[in-house]
Amino acid sequence: MSIARIGIVTVSDRASRGEYEDRGGPAILAYMQEVVTSPWEPVARVIADEQALIERTLIELVDVERCCLVVTTGGTGPARRDVPPEATEAVCEKMMPGFGELMRKVSLEKVPTAILSRQTAGIRGGALIVNLPGQPKAIGECLDAVFPAIPYCIDLIEGPFLTTNEARIKAFRPKK
């Protein structure tokens, strides 16, 4: 059985310069450690909010590091430097708008400013790329909403078979 690789990308100018503690990447890592039960390994990056750099990082994680899933945190708001959604769209062959729609729906139940969030997801080759907000609490809420569909999405793009801790998150796969 091959070991799945999961990219974890924190997009933050301040964290990339060491001025701010990265809390988003560690929150994604902890989530994956709790939920994914099949063999996997993280491939983590902390980078500045620069579109060309984000694009290069996503391409490297998918095409070179062979990640089947890349999860980004940060930069999904309306600020001028918030560009991970644009970078994701630029490197993906297919966009998966349902991910962003569901994450915003769940977030809107918590805070009215969730309408400002631009989370999205897309497919590049054999990988799913998902953009999450930067707050650790929102990361967990958004992943709880979309993760049941992620293993099957990865099946459909011919990635590794991911299993989950069913006491925590039950992956949905249609009955054969």
Side-chain angles (χ1 to χ4, degrees):
M1 178 189 294
S2 66
I3 295 177
R5 296 175 62 100
I6 298 176
I8 299 171
V9 182
T10 299
V11 180
S12 166
D13 291 329
R14 293 183 302 157
S16 70
R17 291 190 302 258
E19 299 169 5
Y20 176 85
E21 179 189 358
D22 173 19
R23 293 179 23 241
I28 294 170
L29 177 63
Y31 186 93
M32 296 298 169
Q33 289 171 330
E34 183 182 347
V35 169
V36 180
T37 55
S38 47
W40 71 281
E41 62 186 11
V43 183
R45 302 284 187 273
V46 179
I47 61 173
D49 210 332
E50 300 283 349
Q51 185 168 342
L53 175 60
I54 298 164
E55 289 177 21
R56 283 194 309 271
T57 301
L58 295 175
I59 290 167
E60 175 209 351
L61 289 172
V62 174
D63 298 1
V64 178
E65 296 289 344
R66 296 288 180 222
C67 293
C68 63
L69 173 63
V70 177
V71 183
T72 73
T73 177
T76 58
R80 205 173 287 222
R81 293 194 51 80
D82 289 341
V83 294
E86 287 76 13
T88 297
E89 194 162 346
V91 303
C92 286
E93 293 100 30
K94 294 180 180 176
M95 295 307 294
M96 303 295 290
F99 283 86
E101 292 163 5
L102 180 56
M103 289 187 282
R104 273 183 295 283
K105 177 189 178 293
V106 167
S107 295
L108 275 167
E109 294 168 4
K110 313 283 184 200
V111 296
T113 54
I115 192 103
L116 302 175
S117 191
R118 301 178 313 116
Q119 298 107 298
T120 192
I123 304 293
R124 176 180 179 85
L128 172 64
I129 300 172
V130 180
N131 301 150
L132 298 175
Q135 291 296 323
K137 186 170 190 256
I139 288 168
E141 292 165 356
C142 288
L143 281 172
D144 280 349
V146 299
F147 209 86
I150 287 177
Y152 184 55
C153 180
I154 292 172
D155 293 350
L156 292 172
I157 58 175
E158 301 173 13
F161 191 84
L162 297 182
T163 57
T164 60
N165 171 358
E166 293 198 2
R168 179 67 179 79
I169 291 285
K170 184 168 175 28
F172 175 82
R173 288 184 166 99
K175 304 266 187 273
K176 297 210 181 214

